[in-house]
Amino acid sequence: MSTEPSADDPVEQAVSVLSAAGLVAFPTETVYGLGADADMPSAVRAIFAAKGRPVDHPLILHVADANAVTAWASNIPPQAVKLMAQFWPGPLTLVLPRSSRASNEVTGGQNTVGLRCPSHPWAQRLLRAYGAARGDAAVALAAPSANSYGRISPSQADHVRADLGVKPEGKVDFLLDGGPCDFGIESTIVDFPDGQVRILRPGSIRAEQLAECLGQAVSWAATPGPAGHEPRVSGRLFAHYAPRKPLRLVTAEALRGMVDTCEHPVQVLAIPEVLDTLATAPGVLLTPASPESGPYARDLYRHLHEFDRGDARLMLVVLPGSGPEWLAVTDRLLKASAGSAPLKTQLHSQQ
Ligand code: TXA
Ligand code: MG
């Protein structure tokens, strides 16, 4: 197999950009990441600048496989080893005690580091090609989601172009376009306090899958309220993942009345069965959603980005389900709605 760089191979172009301490937006199976070489503090600092993200919010390190983990983490708990064997490559991030190689820039000065091995073929190719170029298979790409701080994560390349943008006009040095992401919402994040296993952020890999793999109960980190400030996981802050315009979660029963009284145009995201109960009206834009949690999650951020770009002033969302498979999606929608103004300001009321 040839290792000669090819000028028109996008992965090789991305490798060149990373080698020169540049920023590469790349696809993962969850969302697009904004990546830099984790061994280059100046490149890592550029990630924070591009996103407008506070520097004490740690970044996830992306590695090609589990063998790289010992370079970045130490005292790896046995549960972490089991989870890596079962779920990597895939949408699971493990927060582990850091090694000296994990810099303060990456960890936000904490004594832990978040590690993830993405399964997306382009992410895998990029990590392996970059490892080959640097002569170190343990190289890591520090990469948060490739969106401005607090905004909706990108689940396709267009979202990166529209938000951060690509140079010379934008902030990203190179965008590796790998099409839409399969899972569409960010990875499940787990840490291991005192031999326990705890979920910091829900994702497509669910608590019961982790518990089944480990034969051990899995707990949840308390979600901070709107007044709480929890810098360890910015995705746990309220009003995160938010569209610029108001979004409301409503029940199917309340929907009809809301649509009649709220400001138009209004966008309604619900399964077809629920949309069918609404009379079509000029100011009511209907977006059908999947009744299955997987496809729903995959399409969710695309719907939110389209709403942000479109004419609607308000989005009303009716969740199709409430079982454990809907937890991650519900978490994202609650956060997307938390920053919205009080509902009465959107009503046609005379008060
Ligand atoms: O699916 C994903 O995880 C995507 C793709 C690109 O891999 N990445 C992602 O990164 O969502 P980001 O930075 O947007 O969210 C990662 C979350 C942040 O909220 C951060 O605070 C948390 O992970 N995190 C990273 N390292 C941590 C650590 N050492 N302890 C606690 N939380 C950590
Ligand atoms: Mg993010």
Side-chain angles (χ1 to χ4, degrees), residues 146-148 150-154 163 241-244 301 304-305 308:
N147 53 281
S148 304
R151 299 253 76 95
I152 309 160
S153 295
D163 176 358
Y241 312 109
R244 291 182 168 81
Y301 289 157
L304 298 188
H305 280 281
D308 245 357

Side-chain angles (χ1 to χ4, degrees), residues 163-180:
D163 176 358
L164 296 175
V166 182
K167 283 184 179 164
E169 298 83 20
K171 297 173 176 166
V172 178
D173 293 297
F174 189 76
L175 170 60
L176 201 53
D177 185 344

Side-chain angles (χ1 to χ4, degrees), residues 26-116:
F26 64 98
T28 80
E29 68 280 18
T30 59
V31 298
Y32 275 70
L34 181 63
D37 185 328
D39 288 315
M40 297 184 187
S42 68
V44 174
R45 282 195 291 271
I47 294 176
F48 288 91
K51 278 184 66 97
R53 174 169 165 145
V55 291
D56 63 348
H57 286 212
L59 302 179
I60 293 174
L61 294 188
H62 297 67
V63 292
D65 56 42
N67 296 326
V69 167
T70 48
W72 301 98
S74 56
N75 301 322
I76 299 163
Q79 296 103 319
V81 176
K82 275 195 191 167
L83 293 177
M84 284 186 250
Q86 172 134 355
F87 295 106
W88 278 15
L92 178 68
T93 296
L94 305 177
V95 172
L96 301 170
R98 70 193 256 192
S99 75
S100 56
R101 184 165 172 184
S103 66
N104 282 330
E105 278 78 7
V106 164
T107 63
Q110 300 188 50
N111 54 11
T112 54
V113 61
L115 284 155
R116 155 161 147 70

Side-chain angles (χ1 to χ4, degrees), residues 172-221:
V172 178
D173 293 297
F174 189 76
L175 170 60
L176 201 53
D177 185 344
C181 303
D182 282 344
F183 288 93
I185 56 170
E186 304 82 354
S187 60
T188 306
I189 304 182
V190 168
D191 75 351
F192 304 90
D194 308 318
Q196 306 293 301
V197 181
R198 181 172 68 166
I199 296 180
L200 297 178
R201 179 176 72 184
S204 303
I205 295 179
R206 305 201 301 264
E208 59 275 21
Q209 292 174 276
L210 301 174
E212 193 186 335
C213 165
L214 296 172
Q216 175 180 353
V218 169
S219 65
W220 290 87

